[in-house]
Amino acid sequence: MNKNLRKAVIAGNWKMNKTPSEAKALITELKETVKDANCDVVICVPYVDLETALRETKGTNIKVGAENCHFEKSGAFTGEISAPMLKEMGVEYVIIGHSERRTYFGETDVTVNKRTLAALSEGLIPIVCVGEYLEQREQGITEELVAMQTKIALQNVTAEQMEKVIIAYEPVWAIGTGKTATAEQANEVNACIRATVAKLYGKEVADKVTIQYGGSMNAANAEELLSKPDVDGGLIGGASLKAVDFGVIVKAASK
Ligand code: PEP
């Protein structure tokens, strides 16, 4: 296992936070705190902030992502946004299948797969989220479940496309709760995801796939989590809204 084969990616998930003017103010601070990063830095922002984010990050090392996209290119899907729309704006990344989408908006493994394929067909980099509920961890089925979520999410994704995919292991019980998985737990599940990718695409592809951890990663715990061999970065919610804390996480991933 060689961690140098993959670039660490720290991605912020702003969720439903920040108006465009607030986004501009936060990005002004972020530009300073992440400017020396030796990892990829992404901010995934609400749709209405995308234009501001793209404008304000131009010429910087910050890349911009959306928090979801629909699987159809266009049509009668009121309130939805398609991958071609994001692509034309200049968006590069998109979060797919976040647990809040699965829990509150009826997202399933099958729609996660469809959205992943839609993102890839436009050349967007999908950040595909998988992870277990607390009851599932307590039942001892975390690895089977996460392997299954990963397999379904990647159905019909080619080996070539796979090199663009980022997977985020996000235990649902750790998201926004302040309860973080231990570095060992995060590494164990990330390794299981990599083994699943290896079964589907071979070791060479699997070794190059960036697998993030997400779930209450913050300035205090990032270094330990990111030091693990299979933890290639983080998907950061709450701490991505604080420029100083996000900067500390980016620094930890840059080592
Ligand atoms: C997330 O939204 O993906 C997330 C991990 O949130 P938090 O860092 O707040 O737990």
Side-chain angles (χ1 to χ4, degrees):
M1 187 62 54
N2 184 354
K3 211 171 172 175
N4 296 329
L5 291 173
R6 23 187 204 271
K7 191 146 200 190
V9 181
I10 297 295
N13 172 17
W14 287 12
K15 312 194 188 206
M16 194 175 73
N17 292 294
K18 303 294 175 188
T19 63
S21 62
E22 291 168 345
K24 183 174 179 204
L26 177 55
I27 292 165
T28 302
E29 285 185 72
L30 284 171
K31 282 195 274 197
E32 236 352 86
T33 60
V34 307
K35 68 178 189 315
D36 298 321
N38 182 27
C39 65
D40 285 349
V41 180
V42 184
I43 52 171
C44 297
V45 305
Y47 293 131
V48 295
D49 293 337
L50 285 170
E51 202 178 325
T52 304
L54 288 161
R55 188 179 58 243
E56 297 301 317
T57 57
K58 213 169 183 175
T60 74
N61 61 337
I62 303 174
K63 294 168 183 170
V64 174
E67 298 176 13
N68 187 23
C69 72
H70 198 266
F71 41 83
E72 294 294 345
K73 285 183 192 298
S74 63
F77 300 99
T78 304
E80 291 292 318
I81 302 286
S82 71
M85 291 172 181
L86 297 176
K87 183 68 182 175
E88 189 176 310
M89 285 188 82
V91 170
E92 290 180 74
Y93 292 75
V94 59
I95 298 173
I96 305 282
H98 189 279
S99 73
E100 286 150 19
R101 302 278 338 154
R102 293 177 188 255
T103 304
Y104 306 130
F105 301 101
E107 194 80 62
T108 65
D109 290 330
V110 172
T111 57
V112 169
N113 173 239
K114 288 169 104 174
R115 289 178 208 271
T116 301
L117 292 169
L120 285 167
S121 75
E122 292 304 319
L124 298 170
I125 299 176
I127 301 176
V128 180
C129 302
V130 295
E132 81 287 3
Y133 286 96
L134 185 58
E135 306 80 67
Q136 294 166 327
R137 175 162 282 272
E138 285 169 352
Q139 281 166 17
I141 59 169
T142 297
E143 296 202 357
E144 287 107 299
L145 183 95
V146 167
M148 187 186 77
Q149 289 175 333
T150 304
K151 268 189 202 164
I152 299 173
L154 298 178
Q155 202 168 9
N156 295 324
V157 171
T158 65
E160 194 185 333
Q161 287 176 321
M162 195 57 215
E163 301 206 1
K164 288 198 89 174
V165 174
I166 295 174
I167 300 174
Y169 166 53
E170 297 214 305
V172 183
W173 49 271
I175 297 177
T177 58
K179 241 188 198 177
T180 319
T182 64
E184 288 69 29
Q185 285 171 327
N187 194 61
E188 221 167 74
V189 182
N190 278 29
C192 156
I193 293 170
R194 200 178 307 287
T196 305
V197 174
K199 268 190 209 149
L200 296 170
Y201 298 96
K203 186 173 180 310
E204 204 178 316
V205 172
D207 276 348
K208 285 194 226 151
V209 174
T210 294
I211 304 178
Q212 300 173 317
Y213 166 78
S216 299
M217 190 187 279
N218 57 40
N221 61 27
E223 189 161 351
E224 193 187 352
L225 286 158
L226 293 165
S227 71
K228 292 292 173 190
D230 277 297
V231 180
D232 307 318
L235 183 56
I236 322 295
S240 72
L241 299 170
K242 299 175 198 148
V244 172
D245 293 26
F246 195 64
V248 172
I249 298 169
V250 164
K251 208 176 222 169
S254 299
K255 286 184 178 161

